[in-house]
Amino acid sequence: MEFCNVQNNIKLVDLSATFCVGMPKYKAKWYPEFSYKEIAPQALVNNEWKRRFTVVSMFAHNGTHVETSDHVFKDGYTLGKTNLEEFIAHPVIIDLTDISNGVSIEAEDILKRIENRKIEERSIILLKTGYDDRAWGKDYFWDKSPWLDAEAAKVVANLKPRIVGIDFQTEKPNEKNFIVHKTLASAGCIICEYLFNLDKINEEFLFMALPIKMPELESAPVRAVGLLIK
């Protein structure tokens, strides 16, 4: 479901990945897959009954999710230290859809797109390339993404956003030092990864990415949506 009209004056756009068995996951062997199984109380195994119970095995970084600085620094700044209202706002959308697969997004790419724009501190900034939409589930997904280079990450961090949402991989493919994560987290920024359908919203929409209420964790899946009230 990409979008629906909740009422005549409300439009809702789904910006989230679909959770399903076999969904894309980072290619490292240690990275857990999403899975689920149905269970039944032992005493009722042979009984005819209509109810269903499902156990879900979900990694906090599967699919569309948010992550705090505790993810990269183990600094204790978990989701429980955030406020729910931080995850809702009219976004600042930076259009990077002309950026090709497999190339870096440089500082100048960001600067020329925000020239003459006043971006308030503590904004939600969405970086839109369309990569997740065109490449999710493809063989090349993990190897051909555009990425923020170190200087571009500094430009974004200097805008002092509260959330940066992206529809491409945060780091250069196979980067192991978490350069972009560390730069954004050091600026007090929450990262929202694996967004979709950013081409279907604009800055008149409310962006919402509400994490599952797991206050002790560094990350949690979200159902990210764009909401337009006409």
Side-chain angles (χ1 to χ4, degrees), residues 175-230:
E175 168 61 48
K176 305 299 183 184
N177 293 318
F178 264 31
I179 295 169
V180 176
H181 281 80
K182 290 175 180 176
T183 300
L184 296 178
S186 294
C189 179
I190 294 168
I191 303 172
C192 183
E193 296 183 314
Y194 305 122
L195 288 168
F196 294 79
N197 293 326
L198 293 183
D199 61 324
K200 295 180 172 63
I201 67 170
N202 56 43
E203 295 180 0
E204 294 181 0
F205 280 73
L206 274 173
F207 172 81
M208 295 186 288
L210 304 180
I212 298 173
K213 193 173 183 178
M214 298 189 289
E216 296 178 350
L217 300 191
E218 82 292 348
S219 177
V222 301
R223 187 64 179 267
V225 300
L227 177 65
L228 178 64
I229 302 175
K230 300 177 183 179

Side-chain angles (χ1 to χ4, degrees), residues 148-161:
L148 289 176
D149 73 9
E151 293 305 310
K154 290 177 184 177
V155 169
V156 175
N158 286 339
L159 296 173
K160 299 182 180 179

Side-chain angles (χ1 to χ4, degrees), residues 64-80:
T64 311
H65 63 277
V66 292
E67 50 195 37
T68 67
S69 58
D70 194 57
H71 172 46
V72 287
F73 297 127
K74 297 188 77 171
D75 58 6
Y77 190 75
T78 62
L79 289 168

Side-chain angles (χ1 to χ4, degrees), residues 115-133:
E115 188 178 11
N116 301 321
R117 292 200 63 180
K118 179 174 175 56
I119 298 177
E120 301 288 344
E121 292 185 8
R122 306 299 293 163
S123 292
I124 292 178
I125 294 177
L126 303 181
L127 304 179
K128 177 180 69 173
T129 67
Y131 182 77
D132 286 349
D133 295 287

Side-chain angles (χ1 to χ4, degrees), residues 7 9 15 26 34 46 50 53 85 92 100 120 125 134 141 152 157 159 162 174 182 184 186 202-203 214-215:
Q7 299 173 1
N9 63 332
L15 308 176
Y26 188 62
F34 172 80
N46 297 319
K50 302 298 184 184
F53 296 101
E85 59 265 26
V92 173
S100 302
E120 301 288 344
I125 294 177
R134 64 179 178 265
F141 178 74
L159 296 173
R162 65 177 187 260
N174 301 311
K182 290 175 180 176
L184 296 178
S186 294
N202 56 43
E203 295 180 0
M214 298 189 289

